[in-house]
Amino acid sequence: MSGKKFTTSSFIEAKKKNEKISMLTAYDYSTAKLLDEAGVDSLLVGDSLGMVVLGYENTLQVTVEDIVHHCRAVARGVKRALVIADMPFLSYHVSVEESVRNAGRMIQEGNAHAVKLEGGEEVIDKVRAIVKAQIPVIGHLGLTPQSVNLFGGFKVQGKSEEQAKKMIQDALLLQEAGVFAIVLECVPEPLAKLITEKLDIPTIGIGAGKYCDGQVLVTQDMLGMFSDFKPKFVKQYAQLGEDMKIACKQYIEEMRDMEFPSKEHTFAMDEDVLSKLY
Ligand code: KIV
């Protein structure tokens, strides 16, 4: 990892050099700053925001305003990583014109470097138009959470021959439309490997095995901060949720016992001035 900014070209160079690309989600300034300092290559302001930050049941209620707002905060915290704004549900489904305008807002107002959107052939006209507007795009295939109602739940995708063939076709179509990478979510490892081998652009896996060109995880999942459910593909690298509860309990206890705030956390006052106040 060098201090050089990670750009969309870095994604392609990394694939050529067989170097893995790291991606994590971020939704706020201080977390983005920490992850950037740790050396992550790219930060995704994912619509997972809806579930892990806003407490919704799924991602469908997230708006363009939500993503723009959180993206601005993330962008302020980053020096090196590429910031990617997730296009939320319905922001790129109605018309090509509206899709380009919404993608433009992510760049102009959200200070993102690129956008991500879900789907293949069904959205290819929107992808082409956004790329034509000079906005870098990442595709997203497999389990696309915005289609949760169509899939009937959060399920592994691409297990049948028909589904697998469609995913390969969609990946090639997206590459041809000009996306600079594709996220593969909840895809069997052999299929993700095959797609990775077929493409010149990198694949970023989440629940898609180790042969993808990079990996992405939701930061709250990876740090053990989100306890509503834990997908099979998540590895928890820390238990910050437990650590936060321990710290919080200690704070409550010390505050009740008047151990906190102690002298070092307290401002003094001149005794003469004080005596005149009584
Ligand atoms: O919204 C999100 O966080 C995502 C990742 C899971 C890829 O789309």
Side-chain angles (χ1 to χ4, degrees):
M1 197 268 299
S2 75
K4 215 174 119 205
K5 272 187 190 299
F6 207 81
T7 65
T8 53
S9 315
S10 315
F11 271 71
I12 312 290
E13 276 164 37
K15 171 138 185 159
K16 279 193 193 138
K17 291 191 205 153
N18 215 5
E19 286 171 3
K20 295 281 187 188
I21 301 161
S22 56
M23 186 186 289
L24 284 169
T25 63
Y27 318 97
D28 68 272
Y29 167 80
S30 51
T31 311
K33 191 159 180 270
L34 285 169
L35 301 177
D36 187 61
E37 284 167 2
V40 74
D41 295 322
S42 53
L43 286 178
L44 171 67
V45 185
D47 62 358
S48 48
L49 163 82
M51 296 167 86
V52 299
V53 174
L54 303 177
Y56 300 145
E57 196 183 320
N58 54 45
T59 60
L60 302 180
Q61 291 173 61
V62 176
T63 64
V64 170
E65 279 68 29
D66 290 333
I67 298 285
V68 165
H69 177 73
H70 286 269
C71 201
R72 285 167 79 92
V74 167
R76 282 193 285 267
V78 162
K79 288 205 170 88
R80 175 182 172 272
L82 187 90
V83 177
I84 302 155
D86 214 0
M87 301 276 294
F89 179 58
L90 275 196
S91 69
Y92 57 97
H93 301 86
V94 179
S95 70
V96 167
E97 196 182 325
E98 209 174 293
S99 308
V100 176
R101 208 169 292 288
N102 284 329
R105 287 191 64 190
M106 301 297 175
I107 308 294
Q108 220 168 27
E109 297 172 42
N111 288 327
H113 302 118
V115 300
K116 175 173 86 56
L117 52 84
E118 298 180 4
E121 201 227 323
E122 334 62 83
V123 293
I124 209 71
D125 53 336
K126 321 294 192 315
V127 173
R128 286 206 181 96
I130 296 170
V131 171
K132 205 167 163 202
Q134 309 302 305
I135 299 170
V137 178
I138 290 201
H140 185 159
L141 297 173
L143 169 57
T144 44
Q146 290 170 19
S147 309
V148 61
N149 290 328
L150 211 60
F151 293 151
F154 297 106
K155 296 177 186 159
V156 177
Q157 299 296 310
K159 282 190 151 182
S160 71
E161 184 183 338
E162 193 191 349
Q163 274 187 358
K165 280 186 172 160
K166 167 143 173 43
M167 207 182 298
I168 295 169
Q169 268 170 15
D170 279 344
L172 292 169
L173 210 55
L174 284 168
Q175 170 170 271
E176 186 259 320
V179 306
F180 68 94
I182 299 176
V183 169
L184 296 177
E185 179 166 354
C186 279
V187 174
E189 186 173 78
L191 177 59
K193 182 172 185 279
L194 183 63
I195 293 174
T196 301
E197 286 164 1
K198 279 182 181 285
L199 296 178
D200 298 323
I201 54 168
T203 56
I204 308 294
I206 173 162
K210 63 181 171 194
Y211 299 105
C212 292
D213 298 300
Q215 298 291 329
V216 57
L217 281 176
V218 170
T219 296
Q220 273 75 351
D221 286 341
M222 191 275 272
L223 295 178
M225 293 169 69
F226 184 69
S227 57
D228 288 5
F229 58 90
K230 181 182 156 310
K232 174 181 159 72
F233 57 77
V234 168
K235 178 170 176 184
Q236 291 181 333
Y237 285 85
Q239 296 297 332
L240 294 199
E242 284 311 310
D243 289 349
M244 283 168 84
K245 282 193 221 168
I246 291 168
C248 184
K249 279 182 188 159
Q250 191 178 343
Y251 159 72
I252 295 167
E253 236 174 76
E254 287 190 7
M255 182 273 305
R256 283 187 182 147
D257 296 345
M258 288 175 72
E259 267 178 57
F260 175 83
S262 63
K263 215 167 183 173
E264 64 178 305
H265 306 112
T266 307
F267 302 102
M269 191 178 176
D270 192 288
E271 291 290 336
D272 284 349
V273 177
L274 187 60
S275 65
K276 288 181 189 126
L277 303 179
Y278 280 94

